[in-house]
Amino acid sequence: MMKSIVAGLAGTALLTTVAFAQSPAATTDKAAPAATTATTTSTTASGQWRTSKMDGLKVYNEANENIGTINDLLMDKNGDIKIAVIGVGGFLGMGEHLVAVPYEKLKFVNEAVAYTGTGANPGAKPAATTTTGAATGTDKPAATSTSSTSKWYPDHAVFNASKDELKNMPEFKYSE
């Protein structure tokens, strides 16, 4: 019992020594902290969407039919997004047909797709807040609820084509 207490105290002493050795040294140079604060700025990106969150975003047509998902966004050398690669068909990525569509032809919607079942107004689409693919931070959609404004991506995209029309488009292939 005494050996384990002595071993515990010795281990604690060793760990304390290591912790003190790792603490940063104090600097007397006052210019270095000012230089780092001058280069770091805090910005907000309200109304912006993360491209990493757009991967897998569902694409619907005007009739609220799911026609595919966004697989990739391609931009030019200036950083402007020009093409959306949409995956059509397949299951879990197998047998999927990729097509390239102009990004500005997509409309993004912040509200969920309308329920098309039976009810007071079956098939009715919500008064959705949309923006075109070429939107910038100044063309951001109006907030429809607190949940849509806190997300970094829209609920879904709309492209005016049927699933069969997309499947009949030429297949997009990445050049090696």
Side-chain angles (χ1 to χ4, degrees):
M1 176 77 168
M2 188 64 145
K3 287 183 181 180
S4 60
I5 292 174
V6 171
L9 288 174
T12 304
L14 286 173
L15 290 176
T16 305
T17 306
V18 171
F20 280 122
Q22 290 181 355
S23 55
T27 60
T28 57
D29 185 14
K30 300 292 180 189
T36 38
T37 57
T39 58
T40 16
T41 58
S42 131
T43 59
T44 60
S46 177
Q48 303 294 314
W49 293 327
R50 293 176 59 184
T51 56
S52 61
K53 297 289 185 181
M54 300 295 266
D55 185 26
L57 191 73
K58 292 185 182 204
V59 181
Y60 292 84
N61 60 14
E62 297 289 336
N64 284 343
E65 298 168 334
N66 185 347
I67 58 174
T69 59
I70 294 178
N71 282 22
D72 210 346
L73 298 174
L74 306 178
M75 67 176 98
D76 62 13
K77 292 182 182 185
N78 294 325
D80 298 325
I81 299 173
K82 297 294 183 180
I83 295 173
V85 178
I86 298 177
V88 184
F91 181 71
L92 298 175
M94 301 296 291
E96 190 173 52
H97 180 77
L98 298 179
V99 295
V101 300
Y103 184 71
E104 67 271 1
K105 298 289 184 186
L106 290 174
K107 290 187 289 183
F108 293 97
V109 181
N110 281 333
E111 294 177 358
V113 176
Y115 175 68
T116 57
T118 60
N121 194 3
K125 292 170 66 176
T129 304
T130 62
T131 184
T132 59
T136 63
T138 58
D139 297 338
K140 62 187 171 194
T144 56
S145 69
T146 55
S147 63
S148 66
T149 58
S150 63
K151 292 191 322 184
W152 283 89
Y153 55 95
D155 182 74
H156 65 277
V158 176
F159 185 72
N160 192 15
S162 70
K163 188 177 269 195
D164 289 333
E165 288 173 329
L166 285 178
K167 284 182 181 179
N168 291 329
M169 288 177 68
E171 185 172 7
F172 175 79
K173 296 207 183 255
Y174 293 96
S175 59
E176 301 286 330

